[in-house]
Amino acid sequence: MLKGKHILLGVTGSIAAYKAAMLCRLLKTAGAEVKVLMTPTAKEFITPLTMATLSKNPVAVEFYNPENGDWHSHISMGEWADCLLIAPATANTLAKMAHGVADNLLLTTYLSARCSTVVAPAMDCDMFAHEATQANIALLKERGVTVIDSPSGELASGLSGKGRMAEPEAILRFLESFPGLNQKKKSNLAGRRFVVTAGATIEAIDPVRYITNHSTGKMGYAVAGELAARGARVTLISGHTVLPTPAGVERTDVASAEEMYDAARKAFADADGAVMCAAVADYTPKEVSPSKIKKDGDTLTIELRRTKDIAASLGREKGDRLLVGFALETDDEIVNAEEKLRRKNFDFIVLNSLRDKGAGFGVDTNKVTIIDAEGGKALPLMSKSDTAAAIADRMESFFER
Ligand code: CTP
């Protein structure tokens, strides 16, 4: 995943700068190309010589080289990078990033970079907890910067708490599954909030049994990951799945259709849009037996009642926000999908047909048709992550209007 990727490693003036050396080495071992940018204060903590030797590239600190006048272009460095990774990121640098201060090469590079930006904060626990720092971090997240959470632990100050930089190995693992590395151009989804529903709901019959379906959540998780990679703030409302949470996504687990309805409506209140990938039960047992139902007789009848339609409910109140639906059909696919598009007030609907080989439950590929009020566009058989990218591209066009 990191092979051949261009990582611009920004190092700022924190005691954790010594970890940047190990991080640089790990990135190089994983096959990435690394160029290092340091703030003037970072040089007090670790030498450019160390970072240049490890990255096998000259280190840039000042706007120009005082010996020969060579100009270090912040624009070209930003263009070279697939990702600007600032680790460690001090409270000072985070504050300047949040407020557009451009008084060193690292900051001008951040302001002009079109690639994704990832920061790993590093500071004392009280500085980290301070309202100003937390507000700056929230603002940066809002604008699409990905923040690698700071773990709790012993700090250089002797205190203990949250604020230390994530370990280089953890940062490497994060980057290895960070889809934002493939994102060259800054997306207009960056900073917007989206709700994604995914996976199957579980409708209890009694404490032991339930009704569910074959959805594994792969498509919804791929969409959530792709949106986060483009800098969006994603709340993933997840039914039953065994999948790991995609990088940068906030996940809320639910079981029943009713729980998913409540969680999705709550998250949609301040969202710019929603993508409804979940396979929601249309019916749920009218009554859940409080104790295990014992066998008795040859047949058993369970009375079911309709669940609430989450998508239709968001569709009624969406206004000019974006609502994307999914339709899984076996017959009269296009006609059924178009009917759902209108009835649920989707801006577009992603149709998969169970008749298509390689599409549907559990597999890693999908073959979809994206349908809006103007008509449909059939896409070829692709991986679910490429399908998610196509859906995100279509979402970007919605916000270009
Ligand atoms: N959906 C939802 N809440 C429900 C049922 C469906 O949010 N209670 C959403 C799905 O996530 C999907 C879309 O609505 O985006 C279409 O779901 P589907 O089950 O195919 O449509 P239904 O309206 O349930 O139609 P039918 O079962 O008749 O095919």
Side-chain angles (χ1 to χ4, degrees), residues 30-250:
E33 285 208 40
V34 183
K35 286 189 182 175
V36 178
L37 253 176
M38 294 172 77
T39 61
T41 330
K43 286 199 303 180
E44 307 293 327
F45 293 90
I46 186 160
T47 68
L49 178 62
T50 304
M51 297 309 292
T53 311
L54 292 172
S55 66
K56 300 198 167 49
N57 272 313
V59 171
V61 182
E62 307 293 346
F63 288 102
Y64 64 94
N65 181 338
E67 268 137 46
N68 57 16
D70 265 1
W71 176 248
H72 290 139
S73 163
H74 55 278
I75 310 277
S76 61
M77 277 190 279
E79 277 175 351
W80 173 85
D82 292 310
C83 176
L84 169 61
L85 167 65
I86 306 181
T90 57
N92 185 42
T93 292
L94 293 171
K96 288 179 172 180
M97 287 167 72
H99 296 281
V101 178
D103 66 356
N104 64 39
L105 185 62
L106 175 55
L107 291 164
T108 49
T109 305
Y110 160 67
L111 287 172
S112 55
R114 293 183 178 175
C115 60
S116 49
T117 302
V118 176
V119 296
M123 65 200 76
D124 169 64
C125 56
D126 294 311
M127 285 174 88
F128 185 75
H130 196 283
E131 277 179 348
T133 308
Q134 287 303 315
N136 290 331
I137 290 176
L139 200 57
L140 290 172
K141 281 186 179 172
E142 197 94 24
R143 296 190 186 136
V145 172
T146 302
V147 180
I148 300 184
D149 204 21
S150 156
S152 247
E154 197 191 318
L155 296 154
S157 60
L159 297 173
S160 185
K162 239 172 133 68
R164 55 186 280 143
M165 186 176 106
E167 292 306 320
E169 292 78 6
I171 297 177
L172 184 80
R173 274 198 304 278
F174 181 91
L175 283 186
E176 275 171 340
S177 63
F178 179 56
L181 272 183
N182 298 320
Q183 195 61 42
K184 268 280 183 202
K185 169 174 107 339
K186 195 163 182 178
S187 164
N188 66 1
L189 304 177
R192 296 188 198 269
R193 287 169 190 265
F194 293 101
V195 179
V196 178
T197 65
T201 62
I202 285 182
E203 309 300 325
I205 298 170
D206 68 13
V208 183
R209 293 94 168 192
Y210 56 78
I211 301 172
T212 189
N213 58 66
H214 288 300
S215 170
T216 55
K218 280 188 177 170
M219 193 61 242
Y221 273 56
V223 169
E226 181 65 30
L227 297 180
R230 295 186 189 209
R233 304 192 68 186
V234 182
T235 306
L236 174 62
I237 317 278
S238 177
H240 176 71
T241 94
V242 291
L243 300 171
T245 310
V249 167
E250 200 177 294

Side-chain angles (χ1 to χ4, degrees), residues 332-347:
D332 296 329
E333 293 95 331
I334 302 271
V335 175
N336 278 326
E338 284 177 344
E339 185 276 323
K340 279 176 195 168
L341 175 81
R342 285 189 296 274
R343 176 161 50 88
K344 303 200 187 196
N345 198 19
F346 291 132
D347 293 284

